[in-house]
């Protein structure tokens, strides 16, 4: 799966389909994370590194050393994906709490899950959820994403 597509899929958040409590734990964290007014994500995968910033409704992407302002409401895309998962349009399964780890000294609950996006093979991933209910990292077989919610600034274009 291409890193940017996986990044979007991993950022999913929640909507109205009977899910088990662990899948709901992940979706609630993804939804809360998507609603933050400021986020900085760094993705490493497929031999590439990219960054994204969501700040005050604007979405910036950096790949190949150049920042661009994208003409898309990324938060709306994420929330739609979450709603689609909750409605059963995007299947999520095999949700498990794997234990806890720390990121930069902060304790995180580690949740694994498998998601099946239309037209793509099912992909398994792990989410690292902080005590504040936000997702601080995600990883899959070929990609790692790290999130930050404080000190986020708009990049120079």
């Amino acid at each position: 799966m291409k890193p940017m597509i996986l990044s979007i899929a991993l950022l999913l958040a929640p909507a109205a389909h009977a899910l088990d409590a662990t899948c709901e734990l992940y979706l609630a964290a993804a939804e809360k994370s998507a609603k933050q007014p400021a986020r900085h994500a760094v993705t490493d995968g497929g031999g590439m590194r990219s960054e994204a910033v969501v700040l005050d409704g604007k979405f910036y992407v950096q790949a190949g050393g150049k920042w661009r302002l994208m003409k898309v409401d990324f938060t709306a895309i994420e929330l739609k994906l979450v709603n689609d998962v909750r409605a059963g349009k995007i299947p999520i399964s095999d949700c498990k709490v794997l234990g806890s780890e720390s990121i930069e000294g902060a304790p995180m609950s580690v949740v694994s899950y498998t998601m099946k996006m239309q037209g793509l093979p099912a992909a398994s991933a792990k989410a690292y959820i902080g005590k504040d209910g936000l997702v601080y990292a995600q990883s899959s077989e070929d990609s790692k994403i790290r999130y930050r919610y404080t000190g986020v600034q708009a990049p120079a274009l």
Side-chain angles (χ1 to χ4, degrees), residues 28 39 42 52 65 69 88 118 132-133:
R39 285 179 288 151
V42 177
L69 175 61
Q118 186 174 10
D132 58 3

Side-chain angles (χ1 to χ4, degrees), residues 98-120:
L98 301 178
S100 62
E101 293 184 29
S102 67
I103 294 179
E104 296 179 7
M108 304 283 154
S109 293
V110 182
V111 175
S112 67
Y113 61 93
T114 300
M115 196 169 295
K116 174 72 173 96
M117 301 288 288
Q118 186 174 10
L120 298 171

